[in-house]
Amino acid sequence: MFGRSLTTLAALCLVGGAPLAHAQDKPTDPQIAHIAYTAGVIDIEAAKLAVEKSQTKDVVDFANGMIRDHEAVNVQALDLVKKLNVTPEDNATSKALTEAANKKRGELASLDGAAFDKAYVENEVAYHAQVNEALENLLIPSAQNPELKDLLETGLKMFQGHQAHAEHVAAELE
Amino acid sequence: MYITCSAWRLAIALVLPLGVAQGQAETVQVIIDKLVFTPGTINAKVGDTIEWVNKDAIAHTATVKGRWEVMIPARKTVSQHLDNTEAVDFYCRFHPNMVGRLTVEK
């Protein structure tokens, strides 16, 4: 569900559709900064839920890794926007991301045990895949500031790593 | 006295070459920057030390599945002494898209 929403979002953004219609055909740097930061916060929130609910060491370790990495990168992102004197700007994509994440978190919160582990890890694979697609096809090509672009590129490698890690954990759960 | 000095000279003469031989052990630096191991292919000898230098703001590992793992915290350097010959692929357990190859020879 969440993955599908993001795909739709990415597709809409790519064709300059509804969510970003007012921003011409691509997001501005302040919007990109906000989207990237929001994407990190969403994963941290999901991970906190997993740490709270899961009894499986691999899942809890993975979730703690998500919290550690995304918090570190978001600190870097905040340092960068401060340095660049850019104020992250809320936008339709960030709002839609948050809305979809809240819905997903509600679904996850209603699950327990192995069903929770499976749903959480599968969503992590799908979520990272969709964010990677948005980073590669929309956010990185649209970023104007070289330092922002650089941070997004590092973020992409990290997200790709998380996707691979989530796939490993998912395989272990099978 | 004279004998003692000679004995010392002999002892030093015998020990020095050994010292030089041991001093050949090298330190190989592997830089981790933006989720990439550089160099990605490491060739070392038994007795050498790898210095894993993590320049990223996030923690990494150098892991050889089922054999060993070195934890490399954010912005830290961790040393690993190479005791055995081996030819292995390693990766970061947190970001398995980070990979490298280590060959340790006698």
Side-chain angles (χ1 to χ4, degrees):
Chain A
M1 173 67 92
F2 185 24
R4 202 177 308 136
S5 309
L6 268 171
T7 311
T8 311
L9 261 180
L12 285 171
C13 294
L14 278 173
V15 297
L20 296 172
H22 297 296
Q24 304 295 308
D25 55 351
K26 57 183 188 179
T28 62
D29 281 4
Q31 289 173 335
I32 291 168
H34 197 284
I35 294 166
Y37 189 85
T38 302
V41 168
I42 286 169
D43 207 44
I44 292 167
E45 293 301 317
K48 284 181 177 168
L49 183 67
V51 170
E52 192 185 305
K53 289 190 71 110
S54 181
Q55 304 291 321
T56 309
K57 188 180 181 299
D58 280 353
V59 174
V60 174
D61 285 352
F62 171 82
N64 277 323
M66 294 305 102
I67 296 169
R68 193 182 56 230
D69 278 9
H70 286 288
E71 282 184 346
V73 169
N74 272 0
V75 166
Q76 283 188 306
L78 286 183
D79 287 348
L80 180 62
V81 295
K82 199 172 167 187
K83 179 184 159 195
L84 300 176
N85 207 17
V86 166
T87 306
E89 185 187 309
D90 199 3
N91 57 84
T93 303
S94 290
K95 285 193 174 79
L97 276 173
T98 304
E99 197 180 317
N102 287 341
K103 195 171 172 185
K104 187 72 205 180
R105 205 157 53 245
E107 284 172 34
L108 289 173
S110 69
L111 300 172
D112 286 301
F116 172 85
D117 287 348
K118 189 172 187 298
Y120 167 67
V121 175
E122 279 178 1
N123 184 58
E124 284 299 291
V125 174
Y127 178 67
H128 283 88
Q130 297 302 327
V131 171
N132 288 340
E133 194 180 297
L135 277 166
E136 265 182 302
N137 298 325
L138 178 72
L139 303 180
I140 292 170
S142 302
Q144 297 297 306
N145 182 282
E147 285 183 81
L148 177 62
K149 203 185 265 282
D150 194 55
L151 184 61
L152 292 171
E153 279 166 354
T154 304
L156 172 60
K157 273 192 221 152
M158 189 186 80
F159 267 81
Q160 286 169 337
H162 290 171
Q163 187 185 334
H165 191 183
E167 284 164 357
H168 281 206
V169 178
E172 296 287 318
L173 289 179
E174 288 297 319
Chain B
M1 186 66 173
Y2 177 75
I3 293 167
T4 309
C5 281
S6 295
W8 270 113
R9 279 192 197 129
L10 182 63
I12 288 165
L14 285 172
V15 168
L16 267 180
L18 288 173
V20 169
Q22 282 169 353
Q24 284 173 348
E26 288 181 12
T27 298
V28 183
Q29 270 205 345
V30 180
I31 309 289
I32 303 167
D33 191 20
K34 295 176 183 170
L35 294 98
V36 176
F37 291 107
T38 306
T41 302
I42 307 159
N43 293 304
K45 290 196 160 54
V46 171
D48 287 356
T49 298
I50 297 182
E51 255 184 20
W52 303 95
V53 182
N54 184 3
K55 295 193 166 182
D56 285 344
I58 56 178
H60 295 297
T61 73
T63 302
V64 178
K65 203 168 185 180
R67 298 183 70 163
W68 51 260
E69 176 167 288
V70 178
M71 281 286 303
I72 316 154
R75 297 201 174 100
K76 298 276 186 224
T77 296
V78 176
S79 293
Q80 177 189 13
H81 194 256
L82 301 171
D83 297 319
N84 304 306
T85 56
E86 60 184 344
V88 288
D89 293 316
F90 63 88
Y91 70 107
C92 169
R93 191 160 50 81
F94 304 146
H95 315 99
N97 52 337
M98 296 170 60
V99 294
R101 173 98 184 146
L102 169 67
T103 305
V104 186
E105 293 175 330
K106 275 192 178 172

